[in-house]
Structure formats: C-alpha cells, structure tokens
Amino acid sequence: MSDQTGFTGLFEEYYEVVLRYAWRRVGPADAPDIAAETFRIAWEKYDRIPHDQPLPWLYTTTRHVVSNHIRSSKRRDGLVASLAEGLPLHGDESDHAAIVATRHAALKALDDLSEDDRELVLLLTWEGLDLHQAANAVGCSWPTARMRLHRVRKRLHRLLADDDQVTATRSYLEGLT
C-alpha cells in the first residue's frame, strides 16, 4: 500500500472524529482549520504514525494544534463557552435553570483543573478512549493516568463542595468521570 493510499484511508476513517474533537475544544468556526492542520502534520509524519492504532496519535497531534491555537489567539474564555455549547440539554423548561446552573458549576470545576488533567477527563469521557489510549495521548504512563484520574475525581468533588447545586452537579460529573 502506498503512503498516499494509506493516508487517504486514514483521512477518510478519522477526519470526522478529529473534527468533532477539535469542535468541542475550539468551537465550530475554528474546528475545520484545526482538523486540516492535524492532517497536514499527519501527512508530513505519516511514517511515524502507529498504523495499528492511529487515533491516540491523532488526538495528541490535534491537542497540540489546539493548544497552539488557543495560546496564540488568547481564547481561554471562548473554550469554556464552546464546551458548554457542546453539552446536550435534557428535561423540560421548568428545570432549565437548574440544568444551566449545574452545567455552569461543572464547567467551572473542569476549568479549574490543570490543562493536562482536564484533557485526560475529556479524552476519557467525550472521546471515549480507554485509560491506556488516553494516557498515551496526554503523554504519560497508564499508572500515572490512573492516579491522576483518581486525584481529579477527588478534586472535582472538593471544588463542588461549596456549590448550592452539589447533588445535581456531582451526579452530572459522575457521567464525566
């Protein structure tokens, strides 16, 4: 199989996954550019991609592209807003205010985590990676990722301890962690 054929297959299989990953981090306006940059890098480094499991490599690369984008454009607040837009709404109008308050508290708690810890949580929950794949994507060992996840869970519960929406937010976060 030629590099071009292999790359075309990689692109066709994973473009939408990378695009959704970028969308959840930078929003719909910048996600196509992030995905395009990720696959430009993938083309240049195609021989270094682990072809048996390319997704962690693509997530890692996309993560770096996103980090550079955010750093250069100073969009920290925009990132939190785009994450909030990506969360689904449930329930009727009567509990809409509680849902918004719960999401706000959860996003605030996530935002208070370090970038690496937040990324680990998001890779596990929104991207559906297992702990081994997520550890690979954030550049640490599986035992380190397991310990970090344990600490993140404890920290999220502590961060939410002072919130009026503790019960609802904790149950919401159980779905995240």
Side-chain angles (χ1 to χ4, degrees):
M1 180 184 319
S2 73
D3 282 354
Q4 185 172 0
T5 303
F7 179 79
T8 301
L10 178 83
F11 179 84
E12 288 172 351
E13 184 170 352
Y14 294 108
Y15 177 79
E16 290 295 323
V17 173
V18 168
L19 181 64
R20 283 191 307 268
Y21 177 90
W23 183 88
R24 286 190 285 266
R25 278 144 184 87
V26 298
D30 295 322
D33 292 337
I34 299 294
E37 179 65 9
T38 297
F39 281 98
R40 184 194 63 76
I41 294 168
W43 172 251
E44 291 175 356
K45 299 181 178 188
Y46 183 73
D47 59 330
R48 294 188 230 161
I49 298 173
H51 298 289
D52 58 331
Q53 284 198 331
L55 195 53
W57 187 95
L58 289 168
Y59 280 142
T60 300
T61 302
T62 306
R63 178 177 176 228
H64 291 298
V65 172
V66 166
S67 292
N68 289 340
H69 174 78
I70 290 170
R71 202 171 20 255
S72 68
S73 63
K74 307 287 186 200
R75 290 191 184 185
R76 183 96 174 119
D77 293 338
L79 175 62
V80 173
S82 70
L83 288 174
E85 291 172 11
L87 294 171
L89 286 175
H90 299 290
D92 58 25
E93 286 186 33
S94 65
D95 59 7
H96 180 72
I99 291 169
V100 170
T102 298
R103 284 192 191 146
H104 178 73
L107 289 170
K108 172 86 172 82
L110 281 171
D111 194 44
D112 286 344
L113 297 175
S114 72
E115 183 179 334
D116 287 340
D117 287 348
R118 181 175 47 255
E119 188 65 21
L120 179 64
V121 170
L122 295 176
L123 284 168
L124 290 166
T125 57
W126 288 357
E127 306 309 330
L129 295 184
D130 65 31
L131 194 54
H132 291 280
Q133 293 170 323
N136 185 19
V138 297
C140 67
S141 68
W142 176 81
T144 300
R146 193 173 87 185
M147 178 56 71
R148 284 175 52 194
L149 184 60
H150 173 74
R151 289 178 183 161
V152 163
R153 285 179 175 148
K154 287 173 65 175
R155 178 142 191 249
L156 286 173
H157 285 289
R158 273 195 316 272
L159 288 169
L160 294 170
D162 297 329
D163 193 285
D164 292 337
Q165 300 281 333
V166 172
T167 305
T169 305
R170 281 190 178 166
S171 67
Y172 178 77
L173 283 173
E174 288 303 316
L176 294 178
T177 59

